[in-house]
């Protein structure tokens, strides 16, 4: 048994040190943590008090691992910030009699076809969507929907297999890309969706839900590139963003329609000519350091909020800061071998507004852009800045980006 007097929280998966390390570091400030992951802890060994190894996408395995931990500790709550572990985490919370969402609500959030059906039932503005299983079916649906359309796997994340199709002649190649991406997407959904393309700026609303009551906390304004693919290249969060008053109620509608009762949500939408329309609801903290941006801009600590809710404690939802935070994600300029990556900022003397510089690839690494590669092969690094206004933050991002050197040697072709 743990000798600590602090409550113990089980975290399921989400152990990437680059994108999720800050989540674990935030949570351990208030809770002891036991980890369930597909491999034993490494970099996080000093942050956890216990662990179990299990397939974090398998509900039975996660429940068994959680029961093993419960034999050794008094468990206060269960949380995940991993998209693919949402349903198993819900199953474990239910088995332990702890606060959490139902498995049905997590399946509805994970399966985009099921989400669209619930949105339609509850009059949540969204997109026309049809699940297809062949190119012929996709072609017929695309013509019925009207071009452009979007093809996407039903229950993946991180824009895997997502592609815009502008014309009928683009459908065969898009079908191959989306179908390949649909592999390994998780048990909650299957196949490929053909959806109406939503035109307009892309944003997300970061929310917290306690006992079925959802509070919109912040707006993330997104940059998306590499058309016809949907790679996210940057995010900006500003405290007191006036857009929150317009899009927050739509996010609340979407969360309610899915039956989500607890936790932190990352609600993606597009600002179309007919108003905000939902892309999807992720029932966990947004990726790409968005939770860190929210904390830098508003003072709201999303990982700690998620932990508090999971343990049945009242979270603090009152902002304590008013500024802007932005992350710029640095992509390779081409597919090939990375030979140079340099940002002229000296360690130890960087300006206080430059909050983080991280590299994901070193010189000599192979890098690949879509459709050959994905985010893991295309991204070279990122940096985070803060400022007293969005304009100043964007100016700082532009200045640093202009001084960045990224060089790739492309393979010879004959």
């Amino acid at each position: 048994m743990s000798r600590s007097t602090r409550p113990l929280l089980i975290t399921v998966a989400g152990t990437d040190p680059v994108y999720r390390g800050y989540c674990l570091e935030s949570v351990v400030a208030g809770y002891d943590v036991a980890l369930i992951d597909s491999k034993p802890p490494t970099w996080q060994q000093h942050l956890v008090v216990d662990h179990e190894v299990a397939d974090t996408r398998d509900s039975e395995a996660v429940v068994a691992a959680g029961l093993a931990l419960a034999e050794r500790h008094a468990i206060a709550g269960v949380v995940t910030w991993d998209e693919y572990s949402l349903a198993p985490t819900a199953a474990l919370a239910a088995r332990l009699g702890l606060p959490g969402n139902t498995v049905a609500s997590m399946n509805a959030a994970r399966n985009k076809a099921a989400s669209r059906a619930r949105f339609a039932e509850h009059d949540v503005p969204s997109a026309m969507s049809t699940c297809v299983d062949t190119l012929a079916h996709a072609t017929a649906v695309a013509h019925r929907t009207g071009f452009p359309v979007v093809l996407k796997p039903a229950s993946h994340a991180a824009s895997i297999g997502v592609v815009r199709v502008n014309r009928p002649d683009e459908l065969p190649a898009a079908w191959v890309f989306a179908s390949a991406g649909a592999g390994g997407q998780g048990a909650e959904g299957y196949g490929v969706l053909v959806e109406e393309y939503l035109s307009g700026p892309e944003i997300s609303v970061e929310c917290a839900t306690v006992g079925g009551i959802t509070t919109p906390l912040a707006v993330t304004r997104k940059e998306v590139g590499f058309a016809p693919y949907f790679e996210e290249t940057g995010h900006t969060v500003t405290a007191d963003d006036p857009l929150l008053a317009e899009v927050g109620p739509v996010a609340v509608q979407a969360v309610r329609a899915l039956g989500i009762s607890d936790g932190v949500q990352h609600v993606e939408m597009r600002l179309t000519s007919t108003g905000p329309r939902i892309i999807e609801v992720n029932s966990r903290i947004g990726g790409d350091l968005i939770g860190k941006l929210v904390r830098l801009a508003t003072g709201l600590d999303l990982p700690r909020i998620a932990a508090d809710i999971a343990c049945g404690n009242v979270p603090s939802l009152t902002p304590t800061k008013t500024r802007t935070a932005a992350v710029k994600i640095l992509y390779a300029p081409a597919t090939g071998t990375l030979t140079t990556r340099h940002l002229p900022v000296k360690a130890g003397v960087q300006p206080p507004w430059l909050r983080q510089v991280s590299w994901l690839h070193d010189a000599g690494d192979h890098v690949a852009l879509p459709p050959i590669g994905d985010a893991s092969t295309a991204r070279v690094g990122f940096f985070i800045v803060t400022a007293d206004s969005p304009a100043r933050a964007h100016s700082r991002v532009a200045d640093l980006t202009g001084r960045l050197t990224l060089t790739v040697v492309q393979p010879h072709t004959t």
Side-chain angles (χ1 to χ4, degrees):
M1 293 290 291
S2 171
R3 295 180 180 179
S4 173
T5 60
R6 301 198 309 169
L8 187 137
L9 175 76
I10 294 177
T11 64
V12 181
T15 56
D16 176 82
V18 175
Y19 293 110
R20 292 307 196 194
Y22 78 95
C23 293
L24 185 56
E25 290 167 357
S26 174
V27 168
V28 299
Y31 295 89
D32 284 344
V33 172
L35 176 67
I36 298 176
D37 198 20
S38 58
K39 55 188 177 182
T42 52
W43 64 270
Q44 68 277 55
Q45 177 68 57
H46 68 291
L47 298 173
V48 302
V49 300
D50 203 349
H51 75 276
E52 284 285 328
V53 175
D55 181 351
T56 57
R57 297 190 181 192
D58 184 303
S59 292
E60 291 186 3
V62 169
V63 168
L67 291 176
L69 289 170
E71 291 181 356
R72 303 193 292 269
H73 308 276
I75 309 300
V78 183
V79 73
T80 187
W81 33 79
D82 175 63
E83 178 70 17
Y84 302 96
S85 302
L86 288 169
T89 300
L92 176 56
R95 181 63 180 272
L96 296 177
L98 296 169
N101 294 294
T102 65
V103 172
S105 67
M106 293 300 92
N107 285 337
R110 288 277 297 119
N111 185 335
K112 297 176 179 63
S115 295
R116 298 289 190 214
R118 291 208 184 187
F119 295 155
E121 180 183 350
H122 293 271
D123 297 319
V124 179
S126 183
M128 186 186 308
S129 178
T130 306
C131 189
V132 299
D133 52 13
T134 65
L135 173 58
H137 191 191
T139 300
V141 170
H143 281 282
R144 185 167 68 244
T145 303
F147 291 90
V149 296
V150 174
L151 268 58
K152 64 172 64 172
S155 64
H156 246 320
S159 298
I160 296 172
V162 183
V163 57
R164 173 175 164 167
V165 184
N166 296 312
R167 304 185 309 272
D169 63 293
E170 297 174 352
L171 272 168
W175 174 257
V176 171
F177 179 78
S179 298
Q185 61 182 312
E188 294 80 24
Y190 63 91
V192 173
L193 306 180
V194 176
E195 296 195 338
E196 168 191 11
Y197 173 70
L198 301 178
S199 180
E202 185 170 339
I203 67 161
S204 62
V205 183
E206 320 312 326
C207 300
T209 301
V210 183
I213 305 300
T214 300
T215 303
L217 301 175
V219 171
T220 303
R221 298 184 184 242
K222 300 175 175 293
E223 299 171 22
V224 180
F226 297 93
Y229 311 103
F230 293 84
E231 293 293 328
E232 295 182 345
T233 61
H235 308 277
T236 303
V237 176
T238 300
D240 299 327
D241 190 321
L243 189 58
L244 187 60
E246 176 186 356
V247 299
V250 181
V252 171
Q253 275 186 280
V255 172
R256 184 183 301 122
L258 295 177
I260 295 171
S261 62
D262 293 284
V264 169
Q265 298 82 41
H266 171 69
V267 184
E268 298 181 343
M269 62 180 78
R270 288 255 178 162
L271 306 178
T272 74
S273 60
T274 59
R277 297 174 70 182
I278 297 292
I279 298 174
E280 63 189 51
V281 175
N282 304 122
S283 192
R284 40 83 182 169
I285 296 168
D288 289 351
L289 289 304
I290 286 174
K292 191 166 188 176
L293 299 185
V294 171
R295 187 178 67 205
L296 289 170
T298 70
L300 293 168
D301 189 336
L302 296 186
R304 180 59 183 269
I305 289 170
D308 287 342
I309 295 171
C311 294
N313 297 324
V314 178
S316 174
L317 304 182
T318 302
T320 58
K321 298 178 182 176
T322 54
R323 57 181 155 193
T324 295
V327 60
K328 178 65 176 178
I329 303 169
L330 309 174
Y331 282 76
T335 295
T337 301
L338 180 67
T339 56
T340 307
R341 56 138 178 89
H342 178 62
L343 190 65
V345 177
K346 295 181 180 179
V349 295
Q350 62 195 48
W353 50 262
L354 181 56
R355 299 300 181 129
Q356 184 175 347
V357 178
S358 294
W359 297 107
L360 307 174
H361 283 287
D362 296 317
D365 288 351
H366 177 73
V367 291
L369 299 178
I372 299 171
D374 55 21
S376 65
T377 62
R379 293 177 171 184
V380 177
F382 62 85
F383 61 80
I384 295 174
V385 305
T386 55
D388 57 5
S389 70
R392 186 61 174 154
H394 294 156
S395 175
R396 287 171 172 169
V397 167
D399 176 63
L400 286 172
T401 304
R403 294 192 280 140
L404 173 73
T405 301
L406 292 177
T407 306
V408 169
V409 174
Q410 297 178 258
H412 294 291
T413 58
T414 57

